[in-house]
């Protein structure tokens, strides 16, 4: 039963917003989702042209259990998640390659042949190490309310070394495998939160456990099927979703949320508000100046962002049987690549290039005899040191040249193409500076510094999405919506009483 007559408003129909809507509506609350764009999904989006179809944002889906939980055990009624095998095909500049497999024994054999028996054994030890981090930190940093120093301090002393917060990811990886190629492969998981393996704390090796042991999943029909499924579930539960409906301001009186003002000036009163918008943008643009402390705004807007991306959606003529669904073409100097991104603030001169081809799995995503390539290069977030308006065309040529050097020269075979720069990502999704995963995870305190799901200074305001706890990535923002909804539900009786 709703505890007040007023609806709960969710600003933004990204995955975090929709996840919160599902949780609140399941608990009997009246929920209205207001989305500025014409369609739901936020960073999860799709594009169609000339018989091709691409997902434009996320492409690798892990943590299947999070989706099972969201659909309360009825996932199969909404989504068909198929395992991706191999997880990813890795290519190196010297012409060697290997397939990463979720099956432990099979993968050990792959690595024994690709590297050597010692590194294959080291890989197994690394997997056990990453799993232990997941087991110890999952409850504190991922699956429950935001971490507090008190809860972190209650981690048994004997477990602390296993959490490994003092080394970098790369520092830890070096202690397990000697092959520079395998170090590059394992370090790559830092990019799943937009970080550098040479800066991010070793605790983030947990990401490798999630993928290499938990597997990668692909929703039949494309990644956007997840957004559609969330929308369907929410609407079945009675959630009202209004698209093309931008919120201009979160209304606040006496330190408490009273509702929202829309771009057209109309107002909607609300019992509470969940913002599925970048938290820094909420403080900087959506909350009335009088309701927030300038110091808090400055703190949020000056945080170092995670990396952004340069994307080519290519409708390619011809088929490439040696490519898999997910492919990585590594750079020759990984450290330099991350220095370019995080220290020099420029897109890497020698980038690692990710190519995802969903038509390998869903044949109808490209016309007969063609493939739909989603090409992604990690870049800095929008930064004065690089002007995408004048340099995107040259960088596109550069990326295509690097692929050609790898033996995949598609320059004469592109039937249709769309280029997305970090500036486009910022414009299309509202991501601050186009950062894919909110604030950077490059330092050991980032998980503790991440904005809380319950606003500290405005009662009745909550946050869900990649810039709040537990962080970015599709499963994580799904969890974030759950945490925000649980907090709101716990507070609601008190708010209803105050009137
Ligand atoms: C290129 C790219 C690749 C990625 N790859 C992966 C991957 O492989 N795997 C993975 O798990 N994750 C990946 N991610 C990250 C993942 O997509 C995000 O973490 C996640 O989708 C963000 O969800 P969110 O809930 O934070 O909402 P967002 O997607 O940020 O959506 C927020 C919504 O709020 C709306 N909004 C903003 N302001 C207003 C307003 N004032 N009024 C109304 N509506 C408003 C926006 O229009 C938007 O729809 C990738 C992201 C990108 C961009």
């Amino acid at each position: 039963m709703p505890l007040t007559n007023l609806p709960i408003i969710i600003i933004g129909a990204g995955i975090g917003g929709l996840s919160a809507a599902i949780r609140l509506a399941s608990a009997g609350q009246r929920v209205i989702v207001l989305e500025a764009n014409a369609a739901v999904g936020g960073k999860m989006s799709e594009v169609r042209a000339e018989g091709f179809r691409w997902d434009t944002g996320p492409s690798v889906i892990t943590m299947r259990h999070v989706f099972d939980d969201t659909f309360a055990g009825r996932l199969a009624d909404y989504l068909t998640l198929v395992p991706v095998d191999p997880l990813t095909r890795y290519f190196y500049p010297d012409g060697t390659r290997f397939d990463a497999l979720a099956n432990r024994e099979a993968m050990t054999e792959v690595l024994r042949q690709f590297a050597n028996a010692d590194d294959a054994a080291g890989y197994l030890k690394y997997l056990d190490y990453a799993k232990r981090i997941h087991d110890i930190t999952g409850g504190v940093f991922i699956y429950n309310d935001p971490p507090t120093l008190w809860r972190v301090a209650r981690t048994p002393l004997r477990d602390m070394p296993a959490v490994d917060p003092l080394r970098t990811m790369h520092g830890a990886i070096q202690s397990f495998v000697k092959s520079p190629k395998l170090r590059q492969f394992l370090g790559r998981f830092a990019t799943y939160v937009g970080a550098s393996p040479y800066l991010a704390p070793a605790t983030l090796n947990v990401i490798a456990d999630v993928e290499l042991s938990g597997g990668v999943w692909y929703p039949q029909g494309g990644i956007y099927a997840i957004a559609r499924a969330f929308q369907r579930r929410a609407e079945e539960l009675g959630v009202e979703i209004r698209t093309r409906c931008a919120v201009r301001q979160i209304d606040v009186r006496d330190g408490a949320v009273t509702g929202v003002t829309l771009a057209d000036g109309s107002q909607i009163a609300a019992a509470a508000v969940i913002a599925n918008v970048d938290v820094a943008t909420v403080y900087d643009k959506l909350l009335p100046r009088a309701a927030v402390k300038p110091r808090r705004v400055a703190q949020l807007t000056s945080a170092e962002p995670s990396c952004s991306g340069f994307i080519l959606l290519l409708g390619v003529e011809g088929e490439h049987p040696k490519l898999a669904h997910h492919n990585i073409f590594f750079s020759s100097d990984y450290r330099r690549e991350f220095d370019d991104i995080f220290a020099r603030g420029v897109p890497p001169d020698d980038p690692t290039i990710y190519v995802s081809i969903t038509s390998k799995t869903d044949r109808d995503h490209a016309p007969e005899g063609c493939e739909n390539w989603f090409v992604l290069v990690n870049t800095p977030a929008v930064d004065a040191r690089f002007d995408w308006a004048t340099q995107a065309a040259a960088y596109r040529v550069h990326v295509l040249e690097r692929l050609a050097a790898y033996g995949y020269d598609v320059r004469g075979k592109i039937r249709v193409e769309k280029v997305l720069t970090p500036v486009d990502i910022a414009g299309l999704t509202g991501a601050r500076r186009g950062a894919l995963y909110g604030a950077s995870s490059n330092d050991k305190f980032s998980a503790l510094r991440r904005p809380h799901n319950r606003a500290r200074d405005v009662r009745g305001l909550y946050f869900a999405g990649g810039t709040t706890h537990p962080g970015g990535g599709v499963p994580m923002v799904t969890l974030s919506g759950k945490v925000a909804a649980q907090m709101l539900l716990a507070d609601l009786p008190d708010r209803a009483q105050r009137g």
Side-chain angles (χ1 to χ4, degrees):
M1 280 287 287
L3 287 162
T4 78
N5 292 326
L6 295 175
I8 292 164
I9 288 190
I10 298 179
I11 309 172
I15 296 302
L18 293 173
S19 160
I22 290 170
R23 297 285 171 177
L24 292 169
S26 301
Q29 300 303 314
R30 185 153 79 88
V31 182
I32 302 177
V33 178
L34 306 173
E35 167 55 52
N37 285 341
V40 304
K43 295 185 183 78
M44 185 184 287
S45 170
E46 66 177 351
V47 166
R48 290 173 195 268
E50 299 185 29
F52 292 90
R53 181 212 164 274
W54 301 266
D55 288 300
T56 64
S59 55
V60 176
I61 299 300
T62 55
M63 300 171 83
R64 184 197 164 106
H65 58 94
V66 170
F67 304 100
D68 278 319
D69 182 49
T70 304
F71 289 90
R74 291 181 49 216
L75 180 67
D77 295 345
Y78 295 85
L79 265 180
T80 307
L81 289 182
V82 292
V84 183
D85 192 25
L87 301 170
T88 303
R89 184 158 292 163
Y90 289 93
F91 297 81
Y92 292 86
D94 65 359
T96 55
R97 67 164 211 230
F98 76 89
D99 282 355
L101 307 173
N103 180 290
R104 229 175 128 95
E105 288 70 40
M107 180 67 169
T108 314
E109 191 45 42
V110 165
L111 295 185
R112 195 172 295 138
Q113 292 192 14
F114 182 74
N116 54 56
D118 281 352
D119 273 355
Y123 172 76
L124 287 182
K125 286 194 191 123
Y126 172 81
L127 282 190
D128 293 341
Y129 151 86
K131 178 177 182 311
R132 187 142 156 68
I133 298 178
H134 197 171
D135 290 345
I136 298 170
T137 62
V140 182
F141 289 109
I142 304 177
Y143 299 106
N144 297 306
D145 288 1
T148 55
L149 269 178
W150 168 238
R151 276 194 16 239
V152 174
R154 274 172 45 203
T155 306
L157 220 50
R158 64 174 184 282
D159 286 343
M160 278 297 187
V163 175
D164 210 0
L166 300 180
R167 288 192 288 182
T168 63
M169 276 181 85
H170 177 74
I173 289 164
Q174 300 195 98
S175 67
F176 290 98
V177 293
K178 290 207 169 61
S179 151
K181 290 178 187 170
L182 295 191
R183 288 176 177 175
Q184 201 170 7
F185 154 59
L186 296 174
R188 178 189 166 240
F189 290 103
T191 66
Y192 282 35
V193 290
S196 159
Y198 304 100
L199 299 170
T203 315
L204 286 182
N205 283 305
V206 65
I207 304 167
D209 173 61
V210 163
E211 171 159 328
L212 296 172
S213 300
V216 171
W217 304 88
Y218 174 73
Q220 253 169 22
I223 301 290
Y224 193 71
I226 297 179
R228 264 195 223 100
F230 274 51
Q231 175 176 20
R232 198 183 117 208
R233 177 82 187 129
E235 287 179 339
E236 280 173 8
L237 289 163
V239 174
E240 184 188 340
I241 300 175
R242 298 187 200 167
T243 53
R244 296 183 205 277
C245 189
V247 169
R248 192 172 73 202
Q249 180 177 278
I250 298 170
D251 301 325
V252 177
R253 199 176 53 228
D254 300 331
V257 157
T258 56
V260 296
T261 303
L262 305 183
D264 66 8
S266 59
Q267 290 184 308
I268 308 178
V273 169
I274 295 185
N276 178 216
V277 182
D278 190 314
V279 178
T281 304
V282 172
Y283 277 81
D284 195 23
K285 301 260 166 24
L286 294 186
L287 282 168
R289 283 276 162 220
V292 293
K293 292 196 181 74
R295 208 157 55 94
R296 178 81 177 126
V297 181
Q299 183 197 31
L300 286 163
T301 53
S302 63
E304 186 198 33
S306 57
C307 74
S308 186
F310 176 72
I311 299 170
L312 302 176
L313 306 177
L314 305 179
V316 175
E317 290 171 353
E319 296 191 39
H320 300 82
K322 289 191 180 148
L323 295 184
H325 185 128
H326 299 296
N327 308 275
I328 283 286
F329 296 92
F330 272 127
S331 60
S332 49
D333 186 342
Y334 216 31
R335 196 181 280 275
R336 187 180 161 79
E337 181 177 347
F338 287 98
D339 281 350
D340 279 345
I341 296 174
F342 290 106
R344 285 183 275 277
V346 295
D349 180 46
D350 176 10
T352 291
I353 304 174
Y354 167 67
V355 179
S356 172
I357 310 172
T358 63
S359 61
K360 295 269 180 203
T361 308
D362 266 324
R363 199 57 214 88
D364 62 343
H365 285 182
E368 187 72 32
C370 297
E371 290 174 345
N372 65 337
W373 286 28
F374 168 88
V375 179
L376 173 69
V377 167
N378 288 130
T379 68
V382 176
D383 188 298
R385 287 173 287 182
F386 191 84
D387 179 18
W388 285 102
T390 54
Q391 300 195 57
Y395 199 64
R396 168 197 170 274
V397 170
H398 188 59
V399 170
L400 292 177
E401 272 168 5
R402 307 301 293 189
L403 280 172
Y406 257 108
Y408 292 93
D409 188 353
V410 293
R411 286 171 293 188
K413 303 184 201 162
I414 299 172
R415 195 181 282 183
V416 50
E417 173 176 6
K418 190 171 165 70
V419 179
L420 293 170
T421 68
V423 177
D424 298 317
I425 294 173
L428 291 168
T429 69
R432 208 172 171 78
R433 295 173 61 188
L436 305 188
Y437 302 93
S440 153
S441 297
N442 276 342
D443 87 74
K444 44 178 139 349
F445 298 111
S446 47
L448 289 169
R449 261 194 232 117
R450 200 168 278 135
H452 202 279
N453 305 80
R454 183 192 274 115
R456 269 193 247 146
D457 29 18
V458 181
R459 289 191 310 282
L461 176 62
Y462 303 82
F463 300 106
T467 60
T468 179
H469 169 78
V474 177
M476 301 291 264
V477 301
T478 304
L479 288 168
S480 163
K482 176 181 177 180
V483 169
Q486 283 172 343
M487 287 184 171
L488 191 159
L489 289 168
D491 295 348
L492 213 49
D494 187 39
R495 285 188 58 71
Q497 220 168 41
R498 285 166 193 245

